[in-house]
Amino acid sequence: GKTKYLKLYNVTLLIMLSLLMFMTGVQYNISQMISHHQSCEWQVSHTLLAIEPTALIAVIGISCFISGVISDKCGRKTCMIAVVYMLSGGIIISGTSTTIYQYEGGRMIIGMSIGSLFNLCIVMWLESSPLRVRKIGILVLMIFTSLGHASIVFYDIEIMVDYGWNWGMLSNMVLMIPITVLLHLSHETPLYLLASGREEEALETARTCNMTDKDLIGGGVVKERGNLSELFSRKYCWLTVSLVFVFGLHRLVETGLIFGVPQLLAENYCNAEAAAGALNTTLAPSPGELACLSFFNL
């Protein structure tokens, strides 16, 4: 059915964006899995370990907030290339770190990257695909994000236990290499080109993306961005409450998956205290989330 609306370029773009979304899922949670290894290896206090996910969430929120404005000015592809290189640098810094401070510095770079990538991947797909397949693409991107979250169990049991947490982090570079190559081969989005006044280039790129004139109508750079306070208005209040409930439920399920399964399948904790301390760090993002809300309402 709808696959006839996809060209090779669309499929290649979706593969690249799916791999990036997978990486955002991995990097969002991997530090919570690494924390118990660091607790054993570096004898770092649980309080210090908890600072990293707290700050990471805050940085992710801030980068989500500013990435849209920056990509409107610089272009989707240009912004994404910069973010992908920044993510690779953060992974290398974190994976080769010998102190908790170097590790957390690398993680802040990663946080700035994945916060931007989550938005940019979705926008790049919506602005580079025919209308009839956009929903399918978004579903695929969300599935790969969830797979990234779930893959943390594999990273811990199959890599970190045998080779150390450093290699668990650095192994992500295996995916970053093909992602970077595909990104350089991709085009700027037709809708961004059209909104930037480059009509001829936009029409040429649209043909490559299998987009029709109808797909281009009404697209382009967002002129006005919403305010977070609108989520608590009468119109969106119940939707906001529902989303908060689902997010909280997701955190509980995710906690059980990330820490419960390895505990049952592998002897990968140095002691019960380290396991309990690692489990407690799942609560650490909460202050970062509150900081994001406060920042957005300024």
mmCIF file of all heavy atoms in Angstrom, residues 12-26 87 121 141 144 175-176 178-179 182:
data_model
loop_
_atom_site.group_PDB
_atom_site.id
_atom_site.type_symbol
_atom_site.label_atom_id
_atom_site.label_comp_id
_atom_site.label_asym_id
_atom_site.label_seq_id
_atom_site.Cartn_x
_atom_site.Cartn_y
_atom_site.Cartn_z
ATOM 1 N N THR A 12 16.269 5.255 3.180
ATOM 2 C CA THR A 12 17.594 5.509 3.749
ATOM 3 C C THR A 12 17.525 6.552 4.861
ATOM 4 O O THR A 12 18.154 6.398 5.912
ATOM 5 C CB THR A 12 18.570 5.981 2.655
ATOM 6 O OG1 THR A 12 18.591 5.028 1.596
ATOM 7 C CG2 THR A 12 19.974 6.138 3.219
ATOM 8 N N LEU A 13 16.756 7.605 4.615
ATOM 9 C CA LEU A 13 16.604 8.656 5.628
ATOM 10 C C LEU A 13 15.945 8.105 6.884
ATOM 11 O O LEU A 13 16.380 8.398 8.002
ATOM 12 C CB LEU A 13 15.770 9.808 5.064
ATOM 13 C CG LEU A 13 15.513 10.983 6.021
ATOM 14 C CD1 LEU A 13 16.826 11.711 6.343
ATOM 15 C CD2 LEU A 13 14.491 11.956 5.419
ATOM 16 N N LEU A 14 14.918 7.281 6.704
ATOM 17 C CA LEU A 14 14.223 6.713 7.861
ATOM 18 C C LEU A 14 15.138 5.788 8.651
ATOM 19 O O LEU A 14 15.096 5.769 9.887
ATOM 20 C CB LEU A 14 12.974 5.960 7.397
ATOM 21 C CG LEU A 14 12.074 5.407 8.505
ATOM 22 C CD1 LEU A 14 11.583 6.524 9.418
ATOM 23 C CD2 LEU A 14 10.889 4.655 7.900
ATOM 24 N N ILE A 15 15.983 5.024 7.969
ATOM 25 C CA ILE A 15 16.946 4.143 8.651
ATOM 26 C C ILE A 15 17.915 4.976 9.481
ATOM 27 O O ILE A 15 18.179 4.675 10.647
ATOM 28 C CB ILE A 15 17.702 3.273 7.630
ATOM 29 C CG1 ILE A 15 16.759 2.245 7.010
ATOM 30 C CG2 ILE A 15 18.885 2.576 8.301
ATOM 31 C CD1 ILE A 15 17.377 1.458 5.882
ATOM 32 N N MET A 16 18.444 6.040 8.876
ATOM 33 C CA MET A 16 19.393 6.891 9.591
ATOM 34 C C MET A 16 18.749 7.540 10.816
ATOM 35 O O MET A 16 19.310 7.527 11.923
ATOM 36 C CB MET A 16 19.918 7.984 8.653
ATOM 37 C CG MET A 16 20.920 8.938 9.314
ATOM 38 S SD MET A 16 21.129 10.482 8.409
ATOM 39 C CE MET A 16 19.585 11.314 8.773
ATOM 40 N N LEU A 17 17.550 8.081 10.642
ATOM 41 C CA LEU A 17 16.860 8.737 11.760
ATOM 42 C C LEU A 17 16.477 7.732 12.837
ATOM 43 O O LEU A 17 16.512 8.048 14.034
ATOM 44 C CB LEU A 17 15.620 9.469 11.246
ATOM 45 C CG LEU A 17 15.873 10.627 10.269
ATOM 46 C CD1 LEU A 17 14.554 11.219 9.787
ATOM 47 C CD2 LEU A 17 16.740 11.710 10.914
ATOM 48 N N SER A 18 16.111 6.516 12.430
ATOM 49 C CA SER A 18 15.762 5.465 13.404
ATOM 50 C C SER A 18 16.973 5.087 14.245
ATOM 51 O O SER A 18 16.861 4.891 15.467
ATOM 52 C CB SER A 18 15.212 4.235 12.682
ATOM 53 O OG SER A 18 14.025 4.535 11.987
ATOM 54 N N LEU A 19 18.134 4.986 13.609
ATOM 55 C CA LEU A 19 19.359 4.680 14.354
ATOM 56 C C LEU A 19 19.693 5.806 15.336
ATOM 57 O O LEU A 19 20.142 5.554 16.464
ATOM 58 C CB LEU A 19 20.522 4.458 13.389
ATOM 59 C CG LEU A 19 20.456 3.197 12.526
ATOM 60 C CD1 LEU A 19 21.625 3.153 11.556
ATOM 61 C CD2 LEU A 19 20.439 1.944 13.393
ATOM 62 N N LEU A 20 19.466 7.049 14.913
ATOM 63 C CA LEU A 20 19.704 8.179 15.818
ATOM 64 C C LEU A 20 18.747 8.142 16.991
ATOM 65 O O LEU A 20 19.139 8.417 18.138
ATOM 66 C CB LEU A 20 19.561 9.495 15.058
ATOM 67 C CG LEU A 20 20.800 9.980 14.302
ATOM 68 C CD1 LEU A 20 20.470 11.194 13.452
ATOM 69 C CD2 LEU A 20 21.935 10.307 15.272
ATOM 70 N N MET A 21 17.479 7.823 16.741
ATOM 71 C CA MET A 21 16.507 7.739 17.832
ATOM 72 C C MET A 21 16.847 6.585 18.774
ATOM 73 O O MET A 21 16.654 6.675 19.989
ATOM 74 C CB MET A 21 15.097 7.568 17.266
ATOM 75 C CG MET A 21 14.595 8.785 16.510
ATOM 76 S SD MET A 21 14.355 10.229 17.571
ATOM 77 C CE MET A 21 12.724 9.904 18.213
ATOM 78 N N PHE A 22 17.362 5.503 18.204
ATOM 79 C CA PHE A 22 17.842 4.383 19.026
ATOM 80 C C PHE A 22 18.948 4.862 19.958
ATOM 81 O O PHE A 22 18.974 4.525 21.150
ATOM 82 C CB PHE A 22 18.340 3.263 18.123
ATOM 83 C CG PHE A 22 18.897 2.082 18.859
ATOM 84 C CD1 PHE A 22 18.063 1.085 19.330
ATOM 85 C CD2 PHE A 22 20.269 1.957 19.076
ATOM 86 C CE1 PHE A 22 18.581 -0.013 20.017
ATOM 87 C CE2 PHE A 22 20.796 0.873 19.751
ATOM 88 C CZ PHE A 22 19.942 -0.116 20.224
ATOM 89 N N MET A 23 19.865 5.674 19.419
ATOM 90 C CA MET A 23 20.968 6.195 20.221
ATOM 91 C C MET A 23 20.474 7.121 21.325
ATOM 92 O O MET A 23 21.031 7.132 22.425
ATOM 93 C CB MET A 23 21.959 6.937 19.331
ATOM 94 C CG MET A 23 22.785 6.037 18.435
ATOM 95 S SD MET A 23 23.764 4.840 19.370
ATOM 96 C CE MET A 23 24.729 5.936 20.388
ATOM 97 N N THR A 24 19.438 7.916 21.047
ATOM 98 C CA THR A 24 18.903 8.780 22.106
ATOM 99 C C THR A 24 18.338 7.941 23.246
ATOM 100 O O THR A 24 18.511 8.283 24.413
ATOM 101 C CB THR A 24 17.805 9.723 21.566
ATOM 102 O OG1 THR A 24 16.686 8.960 21.101
ATOM 103 C CG2 THR A 24 18.330 10.594 20.441
ATOM 104 N N GLY A 25 17.678 6.827 22.897
ATOM 105 C CA GLY A 25 17.157 5.941 23.933
ATOM 106 C C GLY A 25 18.256 5.302 24.753
ATOM 107 O O GLY A 25 18.174 5.216 25.981
ATOM 108 N N VAL A 26 19.327 4.875 24.075
ATOM 109 C CA VAL A 26 20.463 4.262 24.772
ATOM 110 C C VAL A 26 21.124 5.270 25.712
ATOM 111 O O VAL A 26 21.320 4.995 26.908
ATOM 112 C CB VAL A 26 21.497 3.730 23.758
ATOM 113 C CG1 VAL A 26 22.779 3.304 24.481
ATOM 114 C CG2 VAL A 26 20.927 2.559 22.977
ATOM 115 N N LEU A 87 27.595 14.602 19.834
ATOM 116 C CA LEU A 87 27.250 13.347 20.507
ATOM 117 C C LEU A 87 28.419 12.370 20.471
ATOM 118 O O LEU A 87 28.744 11.739 21.488
ATOM 119 C CB LEU A 87 26.017 12.733 19.843
ATOM 120 C CG LEU A 87 25.587 11.352 20.354
ATOM 121 C CD1 LEU A 87 25.264 11.402 21.847
ATOM 122 C CD2 LEU A 87 24.388 10.833 19.567
ATOM 123 N N CYS A 121 15.197 14.858 14.603
ATOM 124 C CA CYS A 121 14.860 13.649 13.841
ATOM 125 C C CYS A 121 13.401 13.677 13.394
ATOM 126 O O CYS A 121 13.084 13.362 12.241
ATOM 127 C CB CYS A 121 15.126 12.405 14.680
ATOM 128 S SG CYS A 121 16.864 12.007 14.910
ATOM 129 N N LEU A 141 10.093 5.683 14.339
ATOM 130 C CA LEU A 141 11.063 6.406 15.163
ATOM 131 C C LEU A 141 10.808 6.171 16.647
ATOM 132 O O LEU A 141 11.741 5.977 17.434
ATOM 133 C CB LEU A 141 11.003 7.901 14.852
ATOM 134 C CG LEU A 141 11.434 8.328 13.439
ATOM 135 C CD1 LEU A 141 11.348 9.845 13.301
ATOM 136 C CD2 LEU A 141 12.840 7.856 13.122
ATOM 137 N N PHE A 144 11.965 2.653 17.666
ATOM 138 C CA PHE A 144 13.420 2.548 17.813
ATOM 139 C C PHE A 144 13.905 3.256 19.080
ATOM 140 O O PHE A 144 14.889 2.838 19.690
ATOM 141 C CB PHE A 144 14.120 3.112 16.582
ATOM 142 C CG PHE A 144 14.369 2.081 15.514
ATOM 143 C CD1 PHE A 144 13.365 1.734 14.626
ATOM 144 C CD2 PHE A 144 15.591 1.441 15.423
ATOM 145 C CE1 PHE A 144 13.576 0.771 13.652
ATOM 146 C CE2 PHE A 144 15.817 0.477 14.456
ATOM 147 C CZ PHE A 144 14.802 0.133 13.560
ATOM 148 N N LEU A 175 27.664 2.428 15.802
ATOM 149 C CA LEU A 175 26.510 2.953 15.076
ATOM 150 C C LEU A 175 26.730 4.386 14.602
ATOM 151 O O LEU A 175 26.173 4.796 13.578
ATOM 152 C CB LEU A 175 25.266 2.908 15.962
ATOM 153 C CG LEU A 175 24.592 1.553 16.149
ATOM 154 C CD1 LEU A 175 23.381 1.692 17.056
ATOM 155 C CD2 LEU A 175 24.173 0.961 14.804
ATOM 156 N N MET A 176 27.512 5.151 15.344
ATOM 157 C CA MET A 176 27.692 6.561 15.001
ATOM 158 C C MET A 176 28.411 6.747 13.664
ATOM 159 O O MET A 176 28.169 7.734 12.962
ATOM 160 C CB MET A 176 28.462 7.282 16.107
ATOM 161 C CG MET A 176 27.722 7.382 17.428
ATOM 162 S SD MET A 176 26.072 8.104 17.278
ATOM 163 C CE MET A 176 26.476 9.740 16.655
ATOM 164 N N PRO A 178 28.246 4.825 10.657
ATOM 165 C CA PRO A 178 27.334 4.824 9.502
ATOM 166 C C PRO A 178 26.309 5.948 9.556
ATOM 167 O O PRO A 178 25.901 6.476 8.518
ATOM 168 C CB PRO A 178 26.664 3.447 9.571
ATOM 169 C CG PRO A 178 26.838 2.990 10.980
ATOM 170 C CD PRO A 178 28.134 3.571 11.425
ATOM 171 N N ILE A 179 25.887 6.333 10.758
ATOM 172 C CA ILE A 179 24.943 7.443 10.898
ATOM 173 C C ILE A 179 25.541 8.722 10.332
ATOM 174 O O ILE A 179 24.881 9.466 9.595
ATOM 175 C CB ILE A 179 24.559 7.639 12.379
ATOM 176 C CG1 ILE A 179 23.627 6.523 12.844
ATOM 177 C CG2 ILE A 179 23.897 9.004 12.599
ATOM 178 C CD1 ILE A 179 23.338 6.542 14.333
ATOM 179 N N LEU A 182 25.700 8.595 6.439
ATOM 180 C CA LEU A 182 24.380 8.773 5.835
ATOM 181 C C LEU A 182 23.888 10.207 5.984
ATOM 182 O O LEU A 182 23.235 10.743 5.083
ATOM 183 C CB LEU A 182 23.375 7.809 6.480
ATOM 184 C CG LEU A 182 23.553 6.326 6.159
ATOM 185 C CD1 LEU A 182 22.579 5.482 6.971
ATOM 186 C CD2 LEU A 182 23.357 6.072 4.666
#
